[in-house]
Amino acid sequence: MWTLQRTLQRTSRSARVGVRFSSDILDMASVVRKHALEPQTSTSLQTLMRTGRGEFLHKTYRDAAWKKDDKVATERVLMQVAGFLRHELPIRLAHRILDLEQVPLLRDMQSVRAVKDLYTTSFRDLLSVPQKVASKQEEAAFADIVESIYERHAGVLVQMARGAYEL
């Protein structure tokens, strides 16, 4: 039977380098469980879209003169968004990893294991970034990691559909 512990043992040995956790967290499986205990932040697609368009930037810079069509993503806002994503994405991935592990009929399917492996790799990649994104360079590096995760996850829907078909 496939378990989260076995997958993480396979994938985490080299990934632990550079990732710092407190001494009470012994392995990646416990790190996933720890993150899965945290609640996911609720947000709407509309809020995400408006934030991406810069419609909420005026709330960060009260003294700036904003025009309705002149919204610019400043370095500070980009770092704030990166900080939010750095906090939130590992939590969401941890929830998905445990969700996939807990479905008895799916957890042993090759296609579902491949998705769990993708999520585990992405979880590990996100934890390799400092918790506080404090510079333009760190934000750019984080953006590259998020972009690679996005590309890596492009086939997840198809993989999960294969898993459902295998039922």
Side-chain angles (χ1 to χ4, degrees):
M1 179 188 295
W2 180 88
T3 65
L4 175 62
Q5 184 70 32
R6 276 191 235 150
T7 295
L8 292 171
Q9 286 171 346
R10 254 188 356 245
T11 61
S12 69
R13 171 171 261 145
S14 62
R16 290 185 200 190
V17 177
V19 181
R20 296 183 186 115
F21 301 105
S22 62
S23 60
D24 62 333
I25 299 173
L26 300 174
D27 60 7
M28 192 61 108
S30 64
V31 176
V32 169
R33 283 190 219 88
K34 176 185 169 253
H35 279 78
L37 291 174
E38 294 186 42
Q40 299 177 65
T41 302
S42 149
T43 188
S44 70
L45 183 57
Q46 180 183 18
T47 300
L48 293 173
M49 294 295 293
R50 292 180 70 191
T51 301
R53 285 189 213 122
E55 294 177 21
F56 294 129
L57 297 181
H58 66 281
K59 293 182 180 181
T60 303
Y61 296 98
R62 293 181 198 150
D63 58 339
W66 296 100
K67 297 178 186 173
K68 187 171 184 166
D69 296 327
D70 188 29
K71 306 293 184 187
V72 179
T74 64
E75 288 178 23
R76 182 173 175 199
V77 171
L78 289 173
M79 287 189 292
Q80 289 173 346
V81 170
F84 171 76
L85 291 175
R86 168 56 183 86
H87 170 77
E88 188 64 25
L89 290 176
I91 292 170
R92 290 177 184 254
L93 285 170
H95 279 268
R96 297 301 77 75
I97 291 166
L98 292 184
D99 288 348
L100 290 174
E101 184 179 83
Q102 293 172 0
V103 180
L105 293 174
L106 294 178
R107 70 176 165 222
D108 294 325
M109 294 180 180
Q110 181 63 34
S111 56
V112 175
R113 280 189 296 204
V115 170
K116 286 185 272 193
D117 288 344
L118 285 175
Y119 287 176
T120 302
T121 300
S122 298
F123 178 81
R124 197 179 58 236
D125 289 351
L126 288 165
L127 293 183
S128 71
V129 176
Q131 284 191 332
K132 182 168 172 52
V133 179
S135 71
K136 183 179 178 181
Q137 293 78 18
E138 288 178 1
E139 185 277 324
F142 181 74
D144 290 341
I145 290 171
V146 171
E147 184 175 353
S148 71
I149 289 171
Y150 178 79
E151 291 169 2
R152 182 183 312 140
H153 290 217
V156 165
L157 183 60
V158 172
Q159 285 288 94
M160 291 303 293
R162 280 189 190 122
Y165 181 75
E166 292 172 18
L167 287 174

